[in-house]
Amino acid sequence: MSVKYKRILLKLSGEALMGNDPFGINRDTIMEIVGQVKEIADMGVQVGVVVGGGNIFRGVSAQAGSMDRATADYMGMMATVMNALALKDAFESLGQPARVQSALSMQQIAETYARPKAIQYLEEGKVVIFAAGTGNPFFTTDTAAALRGAEMNCDIMLKATNVDGVYTADPKKDPAATRYQTITFDEAIIKNLKVMDATAFALCRERKLNIVVFGIAKEGALKRVVTGEDEGTLVHI
Ligand code: UDP
């Protein structure tokens, strides 16, 4: 089966790792996701992953209370590093080589982000997990995904969510809502559809990095996306 995208940037939210648990990392869920990624890596797709931290800590959340926002955001970035280490461990347990590169230096546990090295790993077929977001407070991991996706010259950004695409309305509230197969960046703006946060969306648009929004909980969804089947929503220039 031929692949449509040779190099992808997969954005996994922290919540994607929780499964049905209220917080943290669910082992079965992470193994399921990693299995899907290995399947496409085995097909020759080069995979970069940006993982969120919302399953552990979010700088803007109620958990942070009245904390200084920047401090809370650094805690959020550290949460993404925990998820990245769990992902690396899960990949390696399946025999898939993986590396973690962190935007914040923590040399005892992860390499510090270095673009040429990351590209080299991708070319060698290693999954590269980008941790600690952009390394800056006041940003999100969606923006980190757009940034790394652009820097790695990825063919596509895949945003894994708990809904299987972009809908005309919230499908949980409106049973008549339908999924867009494709939509342009401009249409998404006009229709006020939330694809990613505004900074991430603007960066993808400016760099002409198309996005597929899809639901990773659906079996085989990731493979269907990279082989160009009708799965999720393609947001394009
Ligand atoms: N964060 C940050 N800068 C970044 C990326 C993330 O400060 O470049 C912090 C921020 O507090 C955020 C938290 O890390 O709330 C976790 O990331 P995010 O909310 O994007 O995770 P997700 O929703 O994808 O699980």
Side-chain angles (χ1 to χ4, degrees), residues 148-177:
R148 298 298 182 233
E151 280 189 273
M152 294 298 118
N153 303 317
C154 288
D155 300 316
I156 192 88
M157 146 94 80
L158 305 184
K159 181 171 159 76
T161 64
N162 48 17
V163 185
D164 67 345
V166 179
Y167 278 73
T168 49
D170 184 348
K172 283 183 195 131
K173 291 182 192 148
D174 182 354

PDB file of all heavy atoms in Angstrom, residues 148-177:
ATOM      1  N   ARG A 148       7.564  22.521  15.025  1.00  0.00           N
ATOM      2  CA  ARG A 148       8.421  21.379  14.684  1.00  0.00           C
ATOM      3  C   ARG A 148       8.032  20.799  13.321  1.00  0.00           C
ATOM      4  O   ARG A 148       8.910  20.396  12.552  1.00  0.00           O
ATOM      5  CB  ARG A 148       8.340  20.280  15.752  1.00  0.00           C
ATOM      6  CG  ARG A 148       8.818  20.686  17.130  1.00  0.00           C
ATOM      7  CD  ARG A 148      10.277  21.087  17.158  1.00  0.00           C
ATOM      8  NE  ARG A 148      10.695  21.412  18.520  1.00  0.00           N
ATOM      9  CZ  ARG A 148      11.290  22.539  18.878  1.00  0.00           C
ATOM     10  NH1 ARG A 148      11.552  23.481  17.967  1.00  0.00           N
ATOM     11  NH2 ARG A 148      11.640  22.752  20.126  1.00  0.00           N
ATOM     12  N   GLY A 149       6.758  20.793  13.027  1.00  0.00           N
ATOM     13  CA  GLY A 149       6.316  20.287  11.724  1.00  0.00           C
ATOM     14  C   GLY A 149       6.908  21.113  10.594  1.00  0.00           C
ATOM     15  O   GLY A 149       7.367  20.576   9.585  1.00  0.00           O
ATOM     16  N   ALA A 150       6.934  22.422  10.780  1.00  0.00           N
ATOM     17  CA  ALA A 150       7.510  23.307   9.763  1.00  0.00           C
ATOM     18  C   ALA A 150       9.024  23.134   9.701  1.00  0.00           C
ATOM     19  O   ALA A 150       9.608  23.017   8.621  1.00  0.00           O
ATOM     20  CB  ALA A 150       7.140  24.759  10.080  1.00  0.00           C
ATOM     21  N   GLU A 151       9.655  23.078  10.864  1.00  0.00           N
ATOM     22  CA  GLU A 151      11.122  22.937  10.898  1.00  0.00           C
ATOM     23  C   GLU A 151      11.595  21.623  10.303  1.00  0.00           C
ATOM     24  O   GLU A 151      12.671  21.552   9.702  1.00  0.00           O
ATOM     25  CB  GLU A 151      11.608  22.980  12.348  1.00  0.00           C
ATOM     26  CG  GLU A 151      11.728  24.342  12.937  1.00  0.00           C
ATOM     27  CD  GLU A 151      12.430  24.240  14.283  1.00  0.00           C
ATOM     28  OE1 GLU A 151      11.742  24.010  15.299  1.00  0.00           O
ATOM     29  OE2 GLU A 151      13.656  24.372  14.325  1.00  0.00           O
ATOM     30  N   MET A 152      10.828  20.571  10.512  1.00  0.00           N
ATOM     31  CA  MET A 152      11.207  19.239  10.014  1.00  0.00           C
ATOM     32  C   MET A 152      10.799  19.054   8.553  1.00  0.00           C
ATOM     33  O   MET A 152      10.933  17.973   8.010  1.00  0.00           O
ATOM     34  CB  MET A 152      10.540  18.133  10.858  1.00  0.00           C
ATOM     35  CG  MET A 152      10.990  18.052  12.296  1.00  0.00           C
ATOM     36  SD  MET A 152      12.743  17.676  12.430  1.00  0.00           S
ATOM     37  CE  MET A 152      13.323  19.133  13.265  1.00  0.00           C
ATOM     38  N   ASN A 153      10.245  20.094   7.955  1.00  0.00           N
ATOM     39  CA  ASN A 153       9.748  20.008   6.573  1.00  0.00           C
ATOM     40  C   ASN A 153       8.780  18.838   6.407  1.00  0.00           C
ATOM     41  O   ASN A 153       8.876  18.059   5.444  1.00  0.00           O
ATOM     42  CB  ASN A 153      10.890  19.849   5.560  1.00  0.00           C
ATOM     43  CG  ASN A 153      11.879  20.985   5.658  1.00  0.00           C
ATOM     44  OD1 ASN A 153      11.479  22.148   5.786  1.00  0.00           O
ATOM     45  ND2 ASN A 153      13.160  20.676   5.626  1.00  0.00           N
ATOM     46  N   CYS A 154       7.878  18.698   7.355  1.00  0.00           N
ATOM     47  CA  CYS A 154       6.924  17.592   7.286  1.00  0.00           C
ATOM     48  C   CYS A 154       5.936  17.822   6.145  1.00  0.00           C
ATOM     49  O   CYS A 154       5.640  18.965   5.789  1.00  0.00           O
ATOM     50  CB  CYS A 154       6.164  17.452   8.603  1.00  0.00           C
ATOM     51  SG  CYS A 154       7.214  16.782   9.913  1.00  0.00           S
ATOM     52  N   ASP A 155       5.417  16.728   5.589  1.00  0.00           N
ATOM     53  CA  ASP A 155       4.447  16.828   4.496  1.00  0.00           C
ATOM     54  C   ASP A 155       3.063  17.164   5.030  1.00  0.00           C
ATOM     55  O   ASP A 155       2.214  17.658   4.293  1.00  0.00           O
ATOM     56  CB  ASP A 155       4.372  15.495   3.734  1.00  0.00           C
ATOM     57  CG  ASP A 155       5.715  15.130   3.142  1.00  0.00           C
ATOM     58  OD1 ASP A 155       6.357  16.028   2.573  1.00  0.00           O
ATOM     59  OD2 ASP A 155       6.124  13.962   3.278  1.00  0.00           O
ATOM     60  N   ILE A 156       2.846  16.853   6.299  1.00  0.00           N
ATOM     61  CA  ILE A 156       1.513  17.066   6.866  1.00  0.00           C
ATOM     62  C   ILE A 156       1.608  17.093   8.389  1.00  0.00           C
ATOM     63  O   ILE A 156       2.500  16.495   8.967  1.00  0.00           O
ATOM     64  CB  ILE A 156       0.554  15.913   6.421  1.00  0.00           C
ATOM     65  CG1 ILE A 156      -0.921  16.225   6.731  1.00  0.00           C
ATOM     66  CG2 ILE A 156       0.939  14.584   7.066  1.00  0.00           C
ATOM     67  CD1 ILE A 156      -1.625  16.975   5.670  1.00  0.00           C
ATOM     68  N   MET A 157       0.682  17.802   8.982  1.00  0.00           N
ATOM     69  CA  MET A 157       0.526  17.784  10.443  1.00  0.00           C
ATOM     70  C   MET A 157      -0.725  16.974  10.738  1.00  0.00           C
ATOM     71  O   MET A 157      -1.781  17.241  10.164  1.00  0.00           O
ATOM     72  CB  MET A 157       0.353  19.218  10.913  1.00  0.00           C
ATOM     73  CG  MET A 157      -0.546  19.368  12.076  1.00  0.00           C
ATOM     74  SD  MET A 157       0.395  19.363  13.549  1.00  0.00           S
ATOM     75  CE  MET A 157       0.937  21.025  13.480  1.00  0.00           C
ATOM     76  N   LEU A 158      -0.612  15.984  11.577  1.00  0.00           N
ATOM     77  CA  LEU A 158      -1.776  15.173  11.934  1.00  0.00           C
ATOM     78  C   LEU A 158      -2.160  15.488  13.372  1.00  0.00           C
ATOM     79  O   LEU A 158      -1.380  15.232  14.289  1.00  0.00           O
ATOM     80  CB  LEU A 158      -1.465  13.679  11.797  1.00  0.00           C
ATOM     81  CG  LEU A 158      -0.944  13.211  10.437  1.00  0.00           C
ATOM     82  CD1 LEU A 158      -0.769  11.703  10.429  1.00  0.00           C
ATOM     83  CD2 LEU A 158      -1.899  13.631   9.328  1.00  0.00           C
ATOM     84  N   LYS A 159      -3.339  16.050  13.531  1.00  0.00           N
ATOM     85  CA  LYS A 159      -3.779  16.381  14.887  1.00  0.00           C
ATOM     86  C   LYS A 159      -4.774  15.327  15.358  1.00  0.00           C
ATOM     87  O   LYS A 159      -5.901  15.245  14.854  1.00  0.00           O
ATOM     88  CB  LYS A 159      -4.410  17.773  14.932  1.00  0.00           C
ATOM     89  CG  LYS A 159      -4.855  18.131  16.343  1.00  0.00           C
ATOM     90  CD  LYS A 159      -5.288  19.561  16.464  1.00  0.00           C
ATOM     91  CE  LYS A 159      -6.196  19.819  17.661  1.00  0.00           C
ATOM     92  NZ  LYS A 159      -5.531  19.859  18.942  1.00  0.00           N
ATOM     93  N   ALA A 160      -4.306  14.521  16.302  1.00  0.00           N
ATOM     94  CA  ALA A 160      -5.161  13.461  16.849  1.00  0.00           C
ATOM     95  C   ALA A 160      -6.051  14.047  17.923  1.00  0.00           C
ATOM     96  O   ALA A 160      -5.574  14.697  18.854  1.00  0.00           O
ATOM     97  CB  ALA A 160      -4.291  12.356  17.434  1.00  0.00           C
ATOM     98  N   THR A 161      -7.359  13.860  17.779  1.00  0.00           N
ATOM     99  CA  THR A 161      -8.296  14.402  18.772  1.00  0.00           C
ATOM    100  C   THR A 161      -9.269  13.300  19.191  1.00  0.00           C
ATOM    101  O   THR A 161      -9.181  12.176  18.703  1.00  0.00           O
ATOM    102  CB  THR A 161      -9.137  15.566  18.187  1.00  0.00           C
ATOM    103  OG1 THR A 161      -9.935  15.028  17.129  1.00  0.00           O
ATOM    104  CG2 THR A 161      -8.279  16.682  17.656  1.00  0.00           C
ATOM    105  N   ASN A 162     -10.216  13.648  20.059  1.00  0.00           N
ATOM    106  CA  ASN A 162     -11.198  12.636  20.432  1.00  0.00           C
ATOM    107  C   ASN A 162     -12.449  12.712  19.557  1.00  0.00           C
ATOM    108  O   ASN A 162     -13.391  11.956  19.744  1.00  0.00           O
ATOM    109  CB  ASN A 162     -11.548  12.696  21.937  1.00  0.00           C
ATOM    110  CG  ASN A 162     -11.841  14.098  22.384  1.00  0.00           C
ATOM    111  OD1 ASN A 162     -12.098  14.976  21.553  1.00  0.00           O
ATOM    112  ND2 ASN A 162     -11.803  14.346  23.679  1.00  0.00           N
ATOM    113  N   VAL A 163     -12.453  13.627  18.584  1.00  0.00           N
ATOM    114  CA  VAL A 163     -13.516  13.672  17.585  1.00  0.00           C
ATOM    115  C   VAL A 163     -12.843  13.294  16.257  1.00  0.00           C
ATOM    116  O   VAL A 163     -11.691  13.643  16.043  1.00  0.00           O
ATOM    117  CB  VAL A 163     -14.131  15.087  17.474  1.00  0.00           C
ATOM    118  CG1 VAL A 163     -15.317  15.098  16.518  1.00  0.00           C
ATOM    119  CG2 VAL A 163     -14.535  15.604  18.831  1.00  0.00           C
ATOM    120  N   ASP A 164     -13.551  12.587  15.377  1.00  0.00           N
ATOM    121  CA  ASP A 164     -12.857  12.060  14.196  1.00  0.00           C
ATOM    122  C   ASP A 164     -12.819  13.034  13.022  1.00  0.00           C
ATOM    123  O   ASP A 164     -12.881  12.625  11.873  1.00  0.00           O
ATOM    124  CB  ASP A 164     -13.457  10.713  13.776  1.00  0.00           C
ATOM    125  CG  ASP A 164     -14.879  10.856  13.274  1.00  0.00           C
ATOM    126  OD1 ASP A 164     -15.488  11.916  13.521  1.00  0.00           O
ATOM    127  OD2 ASP A 164     -15.392   9.919  12.636  1.00  0.00           O
ATOM    128  N   GLY A 165     -12.715  14.325  13.303  1.00  0.00           N
ATOM    129  CA  GLY A 165     -12.576  15.295  12.227  1.00  0.00           C
ATOM    130  C   GLY A 165     -13.149  16.643  12.630  1.00  0.00           C
ATOM    131  O   GLY A 165     -13.490  16.869  13.796  1.00  0.00           O
ATOM    132  N   VAL A 166     -13.235  17.532  11.650  1.00  0.00           N
ATOM    133  CA  VAL A 166     -13.833  18.849  11.867  1.00  0.00           C
ATOM    134  C   VAL A 166     -15.287  18.759  11.404  1.00  0.00           C
ATOM    135  O   VAL A 166     -15.554  18.295  10.299  1.00  0.00           O
ATOM    136  CB  VAL A 166     -13.081  19.939  11.079  1.00  0.00           C
ATOM    137  CG1 VAL A 166     -13.722  21.304  11.298  1.00  0.00           C
ATOM    138  CG2 VAL A 166     -11.604  19.972  11.473  1.00  0.00           C
ATOM    139  N   TYR A 167     -16.201  19.192  12.256  1.00  0.00           N
ATOM    140  CA  TYR A 167     -17.635  19.084  11.969  1.00  0.00           C
ATOM    141  C   TYR A 167     -18.270  20.453  11.756  1.00  0.00           C
ATOM    142  O   TYR A 167     -17.730  21.473  12.208  1.00  0.00           O
ATOM    143  CB  TYR A 167     -18.336  18.357  13.131  1.00  0.00           C
ATOM    144  CG  TYR A 167     -18.222  16.841  13.044  1.00  0.00           C
ATOM    145  CD1 TYR A 167     -17.020  16.200  13.319  1.00  0.00           C
ATOM    146  CD2 TYR A 167     -19.309  16.063  12.657  1.00  0.00           C
ATOM    147  CE1 TYR A 167     -16.911  14.820  13.225  1.00  0.00           C
ATOM    148  CE2 TYR A 167     -19.204  14.684  12.554  1.00  0.00           C
ATOM    149  CZ  TYR A 167     -18.011  14.070  12.837  1.00  0.00           C
ATOM    150  OH  TYR A 167     -17.911  12.709  12.729  1.00  0.00           O
ATOM    151  N   THR A 168     -19.432  20.440  11.104  1.00  0.00           N
ATOM    152  CA  THR A 168     -20.164  21.685  10.861  1.00  0.00           C
ATOM    153  C   THR A 168     -20.613  22.316  12.180  1.00  0.00           C
ATOM    154  O   THR A 168     -20.788  23.529  12.271  1.00  0.00           O
ATOM    155  CB  THR A 168     -21.402  21.413   9.993  1.00  0.00           C
ATOM    156  OG1 THR A 168     -22.109  20.299  10.553  1.00  0.00           O
ATOM    157  CG2 THR A 168     -21.018  21.098   8.547  1.00  0.00           C
ATOM    158  N   ALA A 169     -20.834  21.477  13.202  1.00  0.00           N
ATOM    159  CA  ALA A 169     -21.190  21.947  14.547  1.00  0.00           C
ATOM    160  C   ALA A 169     -20.663  20.891  15.521  1.00  0.00           C
ATOM    161  O   ALA A 169     -20.179  19.847  15.079  1.00  0.00           O
ATOM    162  CB  ALA A 169     -22.695  22.093  14.675  1.00  0.00           C
ATOM    163  N   ASP A 170     -20.760  21.154  16.808  1.00  0.00           N
ATOM    164  CA  ASP A 170     -20.275  20.177  17.783  1.00  0.00           C
ATOM    165  C   ASP A 170     -21.132  18.912  17.707  1.00  0.00           C
ATOM    166  O   ASP A 170     -22.319  18.930  18.056  1.00  0.00           O
ATOM    167  CB  ASP A 170     -20.347  20.799  19.189  1.00  0.00           C
ATOM    168  CG  ASP A 170     -19.766  19.870  20.249  1.00  0.00           C
ATOM    169  OD1 ASP A 170     -19.530  18.676  19.938  1.00  0.00           O
ATOM    170  OD2 ASP A 170     -19.543  20.334  21.377  1.00  0.00           O
ATOM    171  N   PRO A 171     -20.558  17.785  17.243  1.00  0.00           N
ATOM    172  CA  PRO A 171     -21.365  16.575  17.054  1.00  0.00           C
ATOM    173  C   PRO A 171     -21.940  16.016  18.356  1.00  0.00           C
ATOM    174  O   PRO A 171     -22.921  15.261  18.327  1.00  0.00           O
ATOM    175  CB  PRO A 171     -20.388  15.585  16.407  1.00  0.00           C
ATOM    176  CG  PRO A 171     -19.034  16.118  16.671  1.00  0.00           C
ATOM    177  CD  PRO A 171     -19.154  17.593  16.878  1.00  0.00           C
ATOM    178  N   LYS A 172     -21.348  16.420  19.483  1.00  0.00           N
ATOM    179  CA  LYS A 172     -21.880  15.937  20.770  1.00  0.00           C
ATOM    180  C   LYS A 172     -23.169  16.678  21.129  1.00  0.00           C
ATOM    181  O   LYS A 172     -24.016  16.178  21.858  1.00  0.00           O
ATOM    182  CB  LYS A 172     -20.837  16.134  21.876  1.00  0.00           C
ATOM    183  CG  LYS A 172     -19.742  15.074  21.801  1.00  0.00           C
ATOM    184  CD  LYS A 172     -18.753  15.224  22.951  1.00  0.00           C
ATOM    185  CE  LYS A 172     -17.508  14.416  22.657  1.00  0.00           C
ATOM    186  NZ  LYS A 172     -16.279  15.180  22.846  1.00  0.00           N
ATOM    187  N   LYS A 173     -23.304  17.901  20.593  1.00  0.00           N
ATOM    188  CA  LYS A 173     -24.491  18.710  20.928  1.00  0.00           C
ATOM    189  C   LYS A 173     -25.518  18.696  19.804  1.00  0.00           C
ATOM    190  O   LYS A 173     -26.711  18.837  20.056  1.00  0.00           O
ATOM    191  CB  LYS A 173     -24.068  20.161  21.214  1.00  0.00           C
ATOM    192  CG  LYS A 173     -23.274  20.293  22.499  1.00  0.00           C
ATOM    193  CD  LYS A 173     -22.913  21.762  22.759  1.00  0.00           C
ATOM    194  CE  LYS A 173     -21.877  21.868  23.862  1.00  0.00           C
ATOM    195  NZ  LYS A 173     -20.971  23.009  23.677  1.00  0.00           N
ATOM    196  N   ASP A 174     -25.045  18.551  18.578  1.00  0.00           N
ATOM    197  CA  ASP A 174     -25.946  18.643  17.428  1.00  0.00           C
ATOM    198  C   ASP A 174     -25.857  17.355  16.593  1.00  0.00           C
ATOM    199  O   ASP A 174     -24.892  17.148  15.849  1.00  0.00           O
ATOM    200  CB  ASP A 174     -25.528  19.865  16.589  1.00  0.00           C
ATOM    201  CG  ASP A 174     -26.432  20.080  15.389  1.00  0.00           C
ATOM    202  OD1 ASP A 174     -27.315  19.221  15.143  1.00  0.00           O
ATOM    203  OD2 ASP A 174     -26.252  21.097  14.700  1.00  0.00           O
ATOM    204  N   PRO A 175     -26.890  16.498  16.682  1.00  0.00           N
ATOM    205  CA  PRO A 175     -26.836  15.219  15.968  1.00  0.00           C
ATOM    206  C   PRO A 175     -26.834  15.385  14.443  1.00  0.00           C
ATOM    207  O   PRO A 175     -26.452  14.460  13.712  1.00  0.00           O
ATOM    208  CB  PRO A 175     -28.097  14.483  16.433  1.00  0.00           C
ATOM    209  CG  PRO A 175     -28.946  15.483  17.129  1.00  0.00           C
ATOM    210  CD  PRO A 175     -28.102  16.666  17.490  1.00  0.00           C
ATOM    211  N   ALA A 176     -27.222  16.568  13.966  1.00  0.00           N
ATOM    212  CA  ALA A 176     -27.250  16.804  12.517  1.00  0.00           C
ATOM    213  C   ALA A 176     -25.887  17.264  11.977  1.00  0.00           C
ATOM    214  O   ALA A 176     -25.725  17.453  10.771  1.00  0.00           O
ATOM    215  CB  ALA A 176     -28.312  17.840  12.191  1.00  0.00           C
ATOM    216  N   ALA A 177     -24.932  17.430  12.862  1.00  0.00           N
ATOM    217  CA  ALA A 177     -23.611  17.913  12.440  1.00  0.00           C
ATOM    218  C   ALA A 177     -22.958  16.904  11.506  1.00  0.00           C
ATOM    219  O   ALA A 177     -23.068  15.694  11.708  1.00  0.00           O
ATOM    220  CB  ALA A 177     -22.724  18.121  13.671  1.00  0.00           C
TER     221      ALA A 177
END
